[in-house]
Amino acid sequence: MTSVSPLRVLVVEDDPVAADAHALYAGRVDGFTVVGVAHSRAAAVRALERTPVDLILLDLYLPDGHGLQLLRALRAAGHTADVIAVTSARDLAVVREGVSLGVVQYVLKPFTFATLRDRLARYAEFRATAGEASGQDEVDRALATLRAPHPSTLPKGLSAPTLESVTRTLRSTPGGLTAAEAGAALGISRITARRYLEHLVTEGRAVRAPQYGQIGRPELQYRWLEGPARGH
């Protein structure tokens, strides 16, 4: 029985913490293996010279140029790897340009492991299609595997903009925050802040620990999970 080789992934992301998280997420999906992480355009080019890849998880804002400039140069050099843009960019003109250069999916930050897992699973299914299509319907079905049937949803009562604000606040506070502190910083209630912080813990993007030293019941302190790919 012939085994199928895993799809090789290169993560291109300037933020080391985010890069580690993306590599960890991709490595947890069956059928994929992360063969490299690059924090700049130049590092990505060097990585691709060393190791061929099937898929690039590409951040669009890099310290030495835009991600689409990198992609344009790679295409001109003959690199045919597919690309999933993992970015906070919401400019639809950029999205259209990316599609013209071979970006097969866009994943907007912040996102959950489940979101990326779904996109990668769809991409793997698309890659697995082979043979000659019998007609238009079969071509349409093959292309449809790349598209989510509906937008990824958060748990009921959570909103993406608030999640992004909570994520940004937590990441910018290395010492961690309690739900009360996060709520005060964002102008939301402690209970609301706690729901978003607990969601980040559930998704493996944050950790919590009791904060001792005060009178009464210890309060939980939440901290962004630094270096999640250690040991991976």
Side-chain angles (χ1 to χ4, degrees), residues 90 107 134 141 154 172 174 183 209:
R90 287 167 168 78
V107 180
S134 60
R141 282 196 299 273
L154 290 170
S172 65

Side-chain angles (χ1 to χ4, degrees), residues 39-198:
H39 301 303
S40 66
R41 280 182 61 187
V45 171
R46 290 194 296 270
L48 289 167
E49 288 173 348
R50 294 192 303 268
T51 308
V53 303
D54 302 297
L55 178 67
I56 301 172
L57 297 184
L58 178 63
D59 181 26
L60 297 186
Y61 298 126
L62 300 172
D64 51 353
H66 198 277
L68 292 186
Q69 294 175 334
L70 167 64
L71 182 52
R72 196 177 296 110
L74 294 177
R75 295 296 185 241
H79 290 284
T80 59
D82 291 320
V83 173
I84 292 179
V86 180
T87 178
S88 58
R90 287 167 168 78
D91 186 340
L92 292 179
V94 173
V95 173
R96 288 195 297 271
E97 183 180 0
V99 170
S100 72
L101 291 170
V103 174
V104 297
Q105 288 270 16
Y106 273 81
V107 180
L108 290 180
K109 300 175 183 176
F111 58 88
T112 65
F113 167 65
T115 297
L116 184 61
R117 180 183 58 200
D118 175 74
R119 297 303 193 275
L120 291 177
R122 290 177 178 278
Y123 170 73
E125 184 180 349
F126 175 73
R127 283 285 301 247
T129 57
E132 185 172 343
S134 60
Q136 183 69 49
D137 287 348
E138 193 168 341
V139 172
D140 291 343
R141 282 196 299 273
L143 292 174
T145 60
L146 288 171
R147 307 291 174 243
H150 51 74
S152 298
T153 56
L154 290 170
K156 186 177 180 180
L158 301 190
S159 73
T162 304
L163 177 60
E164 185 170 1
S165 297
V166 173
T167 300
R168 189 185 310 115
T169 300
L170 188 61
R171 291 187 65 179
S172 65
T173 312
L177 289 168
T178 65
E181 291 168 339
L186 294 165
I188 59 179
S189 72
R190 177 184 62 82
I191 294 174
T192 298
R194 184 175 182 274
R195 289 190 64 203
Y196 284 92
L197 291 166
E198 286 293 327

